[in-house]
Amino acid sequence: MNERNSKSNDDLKLTVHKRLLERLDLQEARHLPVEQLYQECSRQIDQLLTEMNRPLAGPEKAQLIREVLDDVFGLGPIEEFLRDPQVSDILVNGSDQIYIEKAGVLHKTNARFRDNEQVLQVIQRIAAQVGRRIDESSPMLDARLKDGSRVNAIIPPLSLTGPTLSVRRFGTIKLDIKSMVDAGSITEDMAKFLQACVRARMNVVISGGTGSGKTTLLNMLSRWIPESERVVTIEDAAELQLQQDHVVRLETRPNNLEGKGEVTQRSLLKNTLRMRPDRIIIGEVRGAEALDMLQAMNTGHEGSMTTVHANSPRDAFMRLENMVSMGGLNFPVTAIRQQMTSAIDILVHLSRLTGGRRKVVCISEVTNMEGEMVLMQDIFRYRQTGLGPDGHAKGHFEVSGIRPAVLARIEAEGITFPEGFFQQRVLNGATHTNGKEVQRV
């Protein structure tokens, strides 16, 4: 019976949708204020329901109006999840499976598309908004929404489950370091150290797995870049939200219909070096541009930052080494590692722990080389001790007790830390015991 009612509602919505499109001037409607557009559509739908002899109660009519408006001007059934700031991921597997992530946990929703054709229309609408295309000849899409959320789509014949859509949310909740501290992702002492590193122009690499919060942390760190500096960002799909005024944002471009016109991160990075940047921020290195990034860090662009997918700090270095090798220059392994050691000052590793919570599990300093081995030392780390009754990982943050070698450079910039700041101790999310702030003199 429920299936029959659902099909009846879908048929009604589809009929109203089609007739509403026949009556509306879409070009003019898109320029109307939201309230006026809602009132006009509500009036038109009332007339249509009367003509069809299908009266609806107030809540049912309001829901129908919202769903039709989402179909006409939005992204269909997933539009309601885009309005929810607590949803961090939206995953569409064909027309009848829509999952969302809240607080690090995936949930299957009751929402669904009418059919695969509607999913494809939504994907093509997203592609059109950013000047890209998706069809059988180019069945994959990387794009972004107006709020900065990252979108990936893949359609048949590559996807056997029908058109598939993944939305990573950005920009719905304006996070700051205080929010991350309150969420237990980092402590105030760790944040103060990272703030000092950014202000002292340390080169920082952020590593972690998918969904661990690398881009979020990169956005946080970028807030401490002085307003007087020129920053250039390079991304595949623009999602960074820097707060400075003097920011130049660059985005890669895929091939056109003729298979030409591709612009890669590496070519953008080479051009960036001629744009007089003070700092370069690469959303994520995943190829031969790693070599150019290291060279930029070594040639006067201190304070640059990037992210890399990796399971540990050591894995991050191995991945960077492999990506440099993809440049085809056949550098000796020792030369590559020497360049990485010289270029990278701080490596921050994030992890998504059991239960879904994201934490900065390690802040490491790159010191030097011993033979062919890159040496790193942990300054701060998170030690997991077990699982809580709620199924989430439990543990504590701690200071390793090692005095960073970069401290001399930080202090040279007039930034000081309280006495005992780097003594070995457990943090437990609290500030330094004497309550003093990092001081800038």
Side-chain angles (χ1 to χ4, degrees):
M1 187 72 175
N2 287 335
E3 289 183 7
R4 185 181 303 171
N5 289 338
S6 176
K7 187 176 186 307
S8 175
N9 288 337
D10 284 347
D11 290 343
L12 175 61
K13 186 170 69 174
L14 183 59
T15 302
V16 171
H17 182 180
K18 288 180 177 178
R19 294 192 182 181
L20 184 63
L21 288 179
E22 293 171 359
R23 296 189 177 192
L24 282 179
D25 183 339
L26 287 183
Q27 293 300 323
E28 183 179 340
R30 284 190 169 91
H31 294 93
L32 290 176
V34 175
E35 288 299 324
Q36 187 177 342
L37 178 62
Y38 185 90
Q39 292 173 1
E40 175 62 19
C41 288
S42 177
R43 186 180 65 80
Q44 295 279 5
I45 290 173
D46 266 337
Q47 289 183 2
L48 288 169
L49 292 174
T50 301
E51 293 170 6
M52 297 166 63
N53 196 24
R54 293 289 299 270
L56 291 178
E60 291 179 323
K61 189 182 78 170
Q63 181 177 354
L64 178 66
I65 293 171
R66 188 182 70 248
E67 290 177 354
V68 170
L69 286 176
D70 288 345
D71 281 351
V72 176
F73 301 105
L75 301 182
I78 67 172
E79 193 70 33
E80 63 174 300
F81 305 123
L82 292 171
R83 287 190 286 263
D84 187 346
Q86 302 302 320
V87 174
S88 56
D89 286 88
I90 304 170
L91 308 173
V92 178
N93 308 329
S95 61
D96 56 355
Q97 283 190 352
I98 300 178
Y99 289 84
I100 61 171
E101 182 188 88
K102 280 189 175 184
V105 180
L106 280 176
H107 306 274
K108 186 176 181 180
T109 71
N110 293 324
R112 57 185 294 276
F113 287 85
R114 288 191 303 273
D115 49 35
N116 285 340
E117 183 62 31
Q118 188 188 11
V119 186
L120 187 58
Q121 288 173 0
V122 166
I123 293 173
Q124 289 173 337
R125 185 175 298 169
I126 294 171
Q129 289 173 354
V130 293
R132 298 190 176 181
R133 66 186 180 88
I134 184 167
D135 50 38
E136 287 190 6
S137 62
S138 180
M140 294 183 289
L141 172 72
D142 266 320
R144 67 184 183 280
L145 300 179
K146 292 179 180 178
D147 67 357
S149 299
R150 184 173 62 203
V151 177
N152 178 270
I154 184 166
I155 64 174
L158 300 188
S159 172
L160 303 181
T161 57
T164 302
L165 180 66
S166 306
V167 181
R168 300 288 312 280
R169 305 293 307 286
F170 293 98
T172 54
I173 301 178
K174 299 298 182 183
L175 292 176
D176 52 20
I177 284 296
K178 184 180 184 303
S179 302
M180 296 184 70
V181 171
D182 292 343
S185 299
I186 194 172
T187 69
E188 287 189 17
D189 282 0
M190 295 164 71
K192 291 170 186 175
F193 177 72
L194 290 177
Q195 178 181 9
C197 289
V198 172
R199 291 194 175 275
R201 299 181 64 85
M202 301 294 167
N203 293 322
V204 179
V205 172
I206 301 171
S207 65
T210 300
S212 58
K214 299 185 297 299
T215 302
T216 299
L217 182 62
L218 185 57
N219 275 321
M220 297 299 101
L221 298 186
S222 71
R223 297 187 179 197
W224 292 318
I225 297 174
E227 290 285 348
S228 59
E229 297 186 14
R230 175 177 170 86
V231 182
V232 179
T233 68
I234 300 172
E235 301 172 82
D236 274 334
E239 58 196 25
L240 293 175
Q241 299 170 351
L242 273 64
Q243 307 301 308
Q244 290 74 15
D245 286 333
H246 200 167
V247 177
V248 179
R249 305 178 69 197
L250 306 179
E251 187 178 52
T252 61
R253 187 178 70 186
N255 284 327
N256 57 23
L257 287 170
E258 291 76 32
K260 299 178 181 179
E262 181 183 19
V263 179
T264 64
Q265 282 199 142
R266 189 173 192 188
S267 59
L268 287 177
L269 181 51
K270 289 179 178 178
N271 186 78
T272 296
L273 299 178
R274 305 184 185 99
M275 297 172 63
R276 197 253 176 233
D278 289 307
R279 303 191 194 218
I280 301 171
I281 298 180
I282 304 177
E284 180 189 340
V285 288
R286 53 168 67 97
E289 68 272 5
L291 172 62
D292 303 282
M293 179 201 69
L294 294 175
Q295 290 177 335
M297 288 179 170
N298 274 323
T299 55
H301 300 93
E302 294 94 349
S304 296
M305 293 181 274
T306 188
T307 72
V308 61
H309 274 81
N311 293 327
S312 70
R314 184 63 60 182
D315 285 345
F317 265 81
M318 292 175 61
R319 284 213 65 216
L320 285 171
E321 183 181 316
N322 291 336
M323 287 187 280
V324 170
S325 301
M326 293 167 62
L329 298 181
N330 295 321
F331 281 178
V333 171
T334 304
I336 296 174
R337 292 177 182 173
Q338 285 175 341
Q339 192 162 34
M340 288 193 296
T341 304
S342 176
I344 301 170
D345 299 307
I346 300 295
L347 197 148
V348 185
H349 186 74
L350 297 101
S351 185
R352 186 172 175 175
L353 304 177
T354 304
R357 288 176 181 161
R358 303 164 173 86
K359 292 187 184 292
V360 176
V361 297
C362 186
I363 299 177
S364 302
E365 176 188 32
V366 182
T367 54
N368 49 43
M369 285 187 65
E370 189 174 282
E372 292 189 353
M373 178 68 68
V374 176
L375 299 183
M376 291 185 290
Q377 56 187 20
D378 293 346
I379 309 300
F380 300 91
R381 56 181 168 244
Y382 177 80
R383 193 177 297 279
Q384 183 175 336
T385 57
L387 292 178
D390 57 356
H392 290 281
K394 65 177 183 178
H396 60 264
F397 293 98
E398 61 184 24
V399 186
S400 67
I402 296 174
R403 186 177 176 85
V406 297
L407 196 55
R409 286 175 56 189
I410 292 175
E411 290 176 344
E413 294 293 323
I415 303 171
T416 61
F417 294 93
E419 185 179 350
F421 188 86
F422 295 104
Q423 287 181 355
Q424 185 174 6
R425 56 198 167 90
V426 174
L427 292 173
N428 286 325
T431 64
H432 186 52
T433 50
N434 63 10
K436 294 181 181 178
E437 296 290 329
V438 178
Q439 299 173 353
R440 190 171 180 86
V441 297

